[in-house]
Every structure is written in structure tokens, then in C-alpha cells.
Amino acid sequence: MRKLFVTLAALLGAATMWAQQALFDQNNLTSPEQNADGTVTFRLYAPKAITAEVVGDFLPAGTMMAPMKEEKNGVWTYTTPGKLQPEMYSYKFRVNGMDLLDPSNAYHCRDIASFTNIFIVTDQEGDKGSLYSVNRVPHGNVSKVWYPSPTLKTNRRMTVYTPADYDKGGRYPVLYLLHGAGGDEDAWTTLGRAAQILDNLIASGKAKPMIVVMPNGNANCDAAPGEWDKGMYKPSFMGHNASKPVASTEESFKDIVNYVDKNYRTLANKKNRAICGLSMGGGHSFGISKLYPDLFNYVGLFSAAVSLNARGFDGLGDRNQAVAPEVEEQLKTLFQKKPALYWIGIGKEDFLYRNNKQLRDYLDSKGYPYEYVETDGGHIWRNWRIYLTQFAQRLF
């Protein structure tokens, strides 16, 4: 018996030593490294690799990937050909045709079912990289909150940002911030850097302190993948494929507003509510604002999946499709109530550009006031962070 105990102790000791060694036996590569001239170098130790490439959103337009150079010590490297401008960038490696995260970079994000590493470039205070960074300013709190949805007949989870000093009292306006298809209640705080953007804007006096509510826009999901009773299923573009909702996101949205007004110190009126979203969430913002014209005084559509026809959004942007009478009447009512801001932003290369052009043409034909921002690029987080930054400064 004593011999067995000694053997087990030795095995446990060896396992512990191995685990401790694994903690310290990390490679000593720096990747990515921001160089003095503004370029960025990526490094990967892969001595048996035949090919290695870097895939990233910092590459020149139209470039999917860039080949890495093999050095004599088994390290593959790639240096950007020019200085990277202030921004948050994402990337991954592709080794022998297989995708791989950078083992030297602990920072990464999930976008639907894929992961990429991230890094931030900043040159000076106030640039985009600085705005997306955690700076020495007062910080708000980010909470994962479960709430009842009587309309969907379930309990659901959302992310709620409360500004610094919220616990000291007072009431606050609310921004409802919606994600796109494939996203969930985590998207705006990870890929979107919403908490950092709001912290920095509020601290600099460029935005008013506000509560930001980031719900899960998939009516067939209670929460992000792995965070509710369906278990660790593979994330997909349209939420949980096997679940069918009993109502739509638009129909159930007042459940969220009612819960927030009841459980947070809000200024519970139209004047102090805003809604915005990207892609699918932009479509939801479009639909929710016209369904409930007395709820929101500010509406933001970021690369929005919008449609004016009776079929709803189909991605086609058919300008010859007649405007549905119901949509026409809802928009008429919405603009008769004179929202303080109706804001549309989209990239020049966005695949939803035509849909948004159709919406703008219709608003122009009716004389409905709106503000429009057009940026470079397509359907990408780089644009949506810019839109949130600009929209937040116009609120309340």
C-alpha cells in the first residue's frame, strides 16, 4: 500500500512539474512587434513548415494573404511594407494550408466560429488606436445580465455597460447597441471595443455618460454559444440552427427596454433613448424604430440590412421592388414624430451599399431628414467602430 502511495505521489509530482514547466516554457518570440518606422513584424517558429502566410485586415486592398519568409533558425517572418495607421487589426497565420493563431500573441477574438489574433496601433492620444485602448481614465462596468422575455417565453442574456460613477447615483440615458448576423451579446465588447470607446469618449467630454445595452439579437438563442442550455454547439451565422423562436427580435424588443427601465436608473423616455446596430442589427434598428416610433429619439443604421419591400430583407437591394404599404406608413409615422437624429453610415465597397442607397432614395423622395456618412472599405468592424464613435458623440 505504501509503495502504491509513493508511486502515485511521484506521478502527481511529475505532472505538477510538467504543468509548471509548461507555464514558463513559452517561446521568446515577439509577435507582432511594432517597429520604430511604424511597420509591424510578425514571427512564427515553425521549423518543419513548407509554406507560411499571414492573413490580416491590414494587408493592401484585394490582398487575401502575404507570404512569410523563412529564416535560418526555423522562424518565419513578415514585415508590413509600410507604416500601419492607428487602428485595431486582426490576423492569423496559415501554415501548410492550415489556419493557426499566433502562439506569441495572447490576445484574440471570436467572430462567429473563427478566431483571429488582434493588436492595436496608436501614435498619439485621441487617434483611433488610442480610442480603442484601455487608457488611464475612469472606467465603466460591463455586466452579463439575464432578463425575462415574456414575448419569447424564455430567459435571455445581454451585456450592459454602466458608465463610471454610475453607483454614485443619478439617472442616465440609454443606448441600445445591436450586433450583426453571427454575432451575439459579446460582439460589441470584444470586436467592437464598445466599453473602451465609451470610456474614452466620456472621459474626454465628447460623449455624455450613458448606459449601453448590448442584447443578443438572435431570437432563437438565449445567449452566446456555450453560455445557455444548448451547450457547446458550433456557432453559426444564424444562431442556433435547431431552435425556432416564437416571436421576432423586433416584436420582443420592448421586453428589453422594460427590464432596463425597471432595473437601472434610466431616464425612461423617448428623449433619452437611442438605438443603433450593424448589418443585421442595423436591420433590427430600422425595424424596431418604425415599429415603436415613440421609443427612440436617435436611430443609427451601420451597414444596415434594410429592405423596403414586402418580402423583408433578402440581400438583393432591388430598387424596382415596390415599397410595402406597411413600411411606408410606419416610416411616415416615425418621421412625423421628428426623431432628433436618423443616421446612416456605410462603406463604399459594402455589399449592402445598394440596399442603403435604396433607403436613402426613398427618404429623399419623401423629404425625411437624415444624416449620411460614407467611408472607405466594406462590411468590416473597422467601419462599425468608427460609426459607433461618431454616433455616440451625437446623442442626448
Side-chain angles (χ1 to χ4, degrees):
M1 186 70 176
R2 177 177 174 79
K3 182 177 180 181
L4 176 60
F5 176 80
V6 171
T7 301
L8 288 173
L11 290 172
L12 288 172
T16 302
M17 290 177 62
W18 180 87
Q20 290 176 336
Q21 179 179 342
L23 291 174
F24 296 102
D25 188 21
Q26 302 292 327
N27 68 68
N28 59 2
L29 295 178
T30 299
S31 178
E33 181 176 12
Q34 299 180 33
N35 304 311
D37 61 358
T39 62
V40 175
T41 297
F42 302 85
R43 298 182 179 91
L44 173 67
Y45 180 66
K48 296 184 179 181
I50 299 172
T51 61
E53 294 115 354
V54 60
V55 182
D57 59 6
F58 50 83
L59 296 172
T63 305
M64 296 294 295
M65 63 187 72
M68 303 181 75
K69 179 182 178 182
E70 185 178 11
E71 308 292 349
K72 293 181 180 179
N73 57 0
V75 174
W76 295 71
T77 66
Y78 173 78
T79 299
T80 60
K83 176 181 178 179
L84 293 187
Q85 296 302 308
E87 183 56 82
M88 187 175 92
Y89 297 97
S90 62
Y91 73 99
K92 59 186 174 182
F93 295 135
R94 186 161 293 162
V95 179
N96 298 340
M98 298 289 291
D99 288 347
L100 176 71
L101 289 177
D102 186 346
S104 300
N105 184 354
Y107 303 101
H108 62 270
C109 285
R110 176 180 63 84
D111 192 0
I112 310 179
S114 63
F115 285 84
T116 56
N117 290 104
I118 59 172
F119 66 98
I120 295 175
V121 173
T122 180
D123 287 338
Q124 59 185 357
E125 183 178 350
D127 65 24
K128 285 190 289 185
S130 173
L131 188 65
Y132 306 154
S133 298
V134 178
N135 295 310
R136 194 176 290 274
V137 299
H139 300 302
N141 288 316
V142 177
S143 304
K144 303 297 182 183
V145 179
W146 288 88
Y147 71 96
S149 176
T151 305
L152 292 172
K153 304 184 186 306
T154 186
N155 290 314
R156 310 187 76 239
R157 195 177 79 158
M158 59 186 171
T159 300
V160 180
Y161 167 92
T162 50
D165 296 336
Y166 173 82
D167 292 338
K168 294 183 179 180
R171 293 189 174 274
Y172 294 85
V174 185
L175 167 63
Y176 292 85
L177 180 59
L178 312 185
H179 63 80
D184 48 59
E185 72 274 18
D186 293 337
W188 267 111
T189 52
T190 54
L191 293 154
R193 305 296 282 186
Q196 289 76 25
I197 291 172
L198 268 297
D199 278 351
N200 292 321
L201 288 178
I202 293 170
S204 65
K206 294 180 179 179
K208 292 187 177 181
M210 67 185 79
I211 298 168
V212 183
V213 177
M214 294 160 272
N216 190 310
N218 304 297
N220 60 346
C221 298
D222 291 345
E227 300 292 336
W228 58 301
D229 60 19
K230 296 302 180 183
M232 296 183 179
Y233 59 91
K234 183 177 180 179
S236 70
F237 192 66
M238 298 305 294
H240 189 258
N241 290 328
S243 298
K244 303 298 180 184
V246 298
S248 69
T249 296
E250 289 83 355
E251 293 166 335
S252 64
F253 203 81
K254 288 188 74 172
D255 294 346
I256 299 172
V257 176
N258 291 338
Y259 180 88
V260 170
D261 283 342
K262 182 178 179 180
N263 290 276
Y264 290 85
R265 295 195 314 277
T266 68
L267 294 166
N269 54 57
K270 175 180 177 177
K271 180 180 177 181
N272 289 285
R273 290 196 198 100
I275 188 170
C276 66
L278 70 92
S279 192
M280 179 184 77
H284 287 158
S285 299
F286 173 72
I288 292 165
S289 62
K290 63 184 178 66
L291 187 62
Y292 306 113
D294 292 314
L295 274 187
F296 303 100
N297 208 28
Y298 304 84
V299 180
L301 310 181
F302 306 167
S303 306
V306 293
S307 175
L308 297 171
N309 63 48
R311 297 174 299 176
F313 175 72
D314 58 13
L316 298 178
D318 184 357
R319 297 184 62 193
N320 296 318
Q321 178 72 36
V323 179
E326 179 183 2
V327 174
E328 190 164 18
E329 189 62 31
Q330 287 176 331
L331 287 174
K332 178 181 178 181
T333 301
L334 173 65
F335 282 97
Q336 282 178 339
K337 294 178 179 292
K338 298 182 178 180
L341 178 64
Y342 201 88
W343 195 96
I344 301 171
I346 195 165
K348 296 176 183 176
E349 288 82 45
D350 198 302
F351 77 96
L352 292 176
Y353 188 91
R354 187 167 59 171
N355 295 72
N356 283 253
K357 180 64 165 58
Q358 180 182 9
L359 173 61
R360 290 189 289 114
D361 288 345
Y362 178 77
L363 298 178
D364 289 339
S365 73
K366 296 295 183 179
Y368 297 153
Y370 65 93
E371 292 188 15
Y372 177 63
V373 172
E374 188 170 293
T375 54
D376 292 328
H379 209 70
I380 52 176
W381 274 101
R382 191 182 305 177
N383 275 337
W384 303 326
R385 290 189 290 265
I386 292 172
Y387 302 158
L388 173 61
T389 300
Q390 295 181 356
F391 187 69
Q393 295 180 70
R394 301 294 309 283
L395 302 180
F396 315 124

